[in-house]
Amino acid sequence: MARINDHYLKLKAGYLFPEIGRRVSAFTDSHPESAAKLIRCGIGDVTEPLPQAAREAMHRAIDELGVRDTFRGYGPEQGYDFLRAAIAENNYRKQGMAIADDEIFVSDGSKCDTGNFLDILGPGNRVAITDPVYPVYVDTNVMIGNTGDANAEGAYEGLVYLPCTAENAFVPAIPDEDVDVIYLCYPNNPTGATASKEQLTAWVDYAKARNALILYDAAYEAFISDPEIPHSIYEIPGAETCAIEFRSFSKNGGFTGVRCGYTVVPKTVIGSTASGENQALHPLWNRRMCTKFNSVSYPVQRGAEAIFSEAGQAQVKALISHYMGNAQLLSQTCQEIGLEVHGGRNAPYIWVGCPDGTDSWGMFDKMLEEASVVITPGSGFGAAGEGYFRISAFNSRENVEEVCLRMKAMAF
Ligand SMILES: *Cc1c(COP(=O)(O)O)cnc(C)c1O
């Protein structure tokens, strides 16, 4: 009989979003009159249509595929040169970071890449994650056997949890112990926090001193407006020797359904073989992509390239201002009604303290029952998220204005 990967059985059965779904259905079943007014501010998915520049480029690419002379079959596994060059030039070299075109690996998204990257890391790594955290980092480590079982609170044996609290402004302190791999995500999902140059420098210095690897998720970099906040880990000197960066067109270009992201693997980042020799990660990731991936469709890569055009950049800027205008309205409202508000300034998430005496799920129920608004309970992202809830700014302006009105009418 085929043996299964027993590590999968350690996974806590996708608790957060199924439980949200269950509570929402129970509410709409018992309050059918409220079902139509329900507003979802829970899931981190974009709502506004694709930028015109990307749509036009995809239409043109499809027409090229309809003509024998310009038809294309399989493309390079790492992505087309035109897109790798556009990414490296616009997002890195023009910003003063020496990233080469062939250090960019195009993919179908950074959720996939953060999980797949574990393919080229060996067993036995001590892995650090923040708490609260984007659950993908945890679950993919469980699947590959880097953890033991979860305890009653859902914390896995073997992972190093780095608490992110209001006291440390949701950027974890450098641990006293040695870890081999650290996941950092800034601007952060779920807290909306950003990391300063000084904070990231401390992490890069730690990684260099302890030979650790930083996996840096910058999916929300486009939402940064404060000029002091780094958009990339490679703005920090030395990061090119110890950090991998994941980026995506999902949140800036609205590509969550179109699917395109990329991973930056500098040739200078090294790991250790079982016998203790240095080995660059770049050839391993290249091999992994060549063997297990056939890249993203040609029209999608042309659509992503168009994001860097002048028109594309203007359209992305308009999308970001739309979402950040929502974030500002939601933050203001939460402040006005006396709640503790974090994030929402350089990120599309507002991380709100629950009123005294209410926990994260209590707040979820209160918002659902009194305002017909769906939020995400902070405890769903980790134990340190208890006492908070996340409001997503991905919505129409009309919905956000209505959510603000309803929250102001609630008693806290
Ligand atoms: C949305 C998101 C991504 C992007 O994922 P894709 O697979 O590129 O759509 C990556 N990381 C985090 C933390 C996210 O919230």
Side-chain angles (χ1 to χ4, degrees):
M1 205 184 308
R3 266 290 308 274
I4 56 109
N5 177 348
D6 287 282
H7 301 308
Y8 275 63
L9 305 180
K10 295 178 201 163
L11 292 165
K12 300 287 260 188
Y15 174 68
L16 178 59
F17 288 102
E19 178 61 17
I20 289 176
R22 199 191 60 74
R23 291 189 190 211
V24 170
S25 307
F27 173 73
T28 51
D29 287 351
S30 56
H31 303 79
E33 74 291 351
S34 296
K37 354 188 291 197
L38 198 74
I39 300 180
R40 293 178 190 272
C41 297
I43 296 172
D45 194 0
V46 297
T47 55
E48 304 308 295
L50 281 180
Q52 189 182 350
R55 280 185 284 125
E56 285 174 0
M58 287 194 272
H59 279 296
R60 280 195 302 272
I62 287 179
D63 288 339
E64 281 178 47
L65 298 183
V67 176
R68 182 170 244 291
D69 282 351
T70 50
F71 171 77
R72 299 184 189 226
Y74 289 125
E77 289 94 343
Q78 304 85 348
Y80 280 105
D81 288 346
F82 64 78
L83 182 55
R84 299 175 89 187
I87 293 167
E89 180 64 19
N90 290 288
N91 284 352
Y92 295 99
R93 292 196 293 268
K94 273 192 193 161
Q95 323 295 330
M97 291 167 268
I99 298 293
D101 296 359
D102 66 353
E103 293 175 322
I104 306 289
F105 291 87
V106 175
S107 74
D108 56 346
S110 52
K111 173 181 172 179
C112 329
D113 280 352
T114 54
N116 290 335
F117 207 78
L118 294 174
D119 269 14
I120 66 161
L121 301 180
N125 280 319
R126 205 160 162 69
V127 176
I129 55 144
T130 61
D131 175 13
V133 71
Y134 180 54
V136 174
Y137 313 148
V138 176
D139 289 358
T140 52
N141 273 284
V142 174
M143 289 171 175
I144 210 153
N146 279 343
T147 75
D149 287 321
N151 66 18
E153 284 76 49
Y156 286 91
E157 188 195 330
L159 286 181
V160 176
Y161 287 85
L162 307 171
C164 293
T165 60
E167 287 68 46
N168 60 23
F170 305 99
V171 179
I174 305 292
D176 299 327
E177 60 191 301
D178 275 341
V179 299
D180 303 301
V181 179
I182 306 130
Y183 288 85
L184 294 175
C185 171
Y186 290 99
N188 188 261
N189 177 10
T191 65
T194 52
S196 68
K197 204 157 262 183
E198 292 68 34
Q199 287 165 321
L200 291 181
T201 300
W203 275 104
V204 167
D205 290 347
Y206 169 88
K208 279 170 29 193
R210 315 273 181 125
N211 290 323
L213 177 69
I214 296 174
L215 299 179
Y216 195 74
D217 185 342
Y220 294 97
E221 64 77 30
F223 294 84
I224 296 173
S225 57
D226 182 339
E228 296 299 312
I229 298 171
H231 288 241
S232 166
I233 192 73
Y234 304 118
E235 291 180 47
I236 311 303
E240 68 285 354
T241 65
C242 62
I244 303 300
E245 181 160 288
F246 302 97
R247 284 210 196 175
S248 172
F249 293 96
S250 282
K251 310 291 161 51
N252 62 344
F255 272 41
T256 54
V258 175
R259 309 304 307 144
C260 195
Y262 55 96
T263 293
V264 186
V265 187
K267 296 187 195 88
T268 40
V269 177
I270 55 167
S272 166
T273 66
S275 53
E277 282 126 52
N278 289 348
Q279 167 64 50
L281 299 188
H282 186 277
L284 304 185
W285 186 243
N286 187 57
R287 182 59 198 256
R288 190 264 167 213
M289 295 302 267
C290 289
T291 300
K292 290 200 183 180
F293 194 50
N294 257 330
S295 200
V296 184
S297 78
Y298 174 66
V300 165
Q301 293 193 58
R302 283 295 185 199
E305 180 193 27
I307 293 291
F308 295 106
S309 67
E310 206 174 309
Q313 286 295 290
Q315 290 155 15
V316 166
K317 214 169 145 198
L319 279 175
I320 302 280
S321 355
H322 166 78
Y323 292 127
M324 291 313 292
N326 288 349
Q328 200 175 352
L329 289 173
L330 291 162
S331 297
Q332 249 166 22
T333 297
C334 291
Q335 261 154 10
E336 272 172 45
I337 58 183
L339 299 176
E340 174 196 325
V341 178
H342 304 276
R345 281 188 299 171
N346 294 282
Y349 298 116
I350 299 109
W351 188 245
V352 190
C354 300
D356 283 346
T358 309
D359 65 7
S360 293
W361 278 110
M363 193 62 193
F364 175 90
D365 290 337
K366 187 175 167 71
M367 291 285 286
L368 184 61
E369 284 157 19
E370 296 177 22
S372 302
V373 170
V374 182
I375 48 89
T376 315
S379 56
F381 298 101
E386 181 55 88
Y388 291 93
F389 64 102
R390 186 190 79 173
I391 312 183
S392 163
F394 291 124
N395 224 319
S396 66
R397 184 57 50 87
E398 193 190 354
N399 274 351
V400 165
E401 284 170 349
E402 178 63 22
V403 168
C404 291
L405 285 176
R406 291 188 200 168
M407 286 187 81
K408 284 177 192 167
M410 285 170 74
F412 288 101

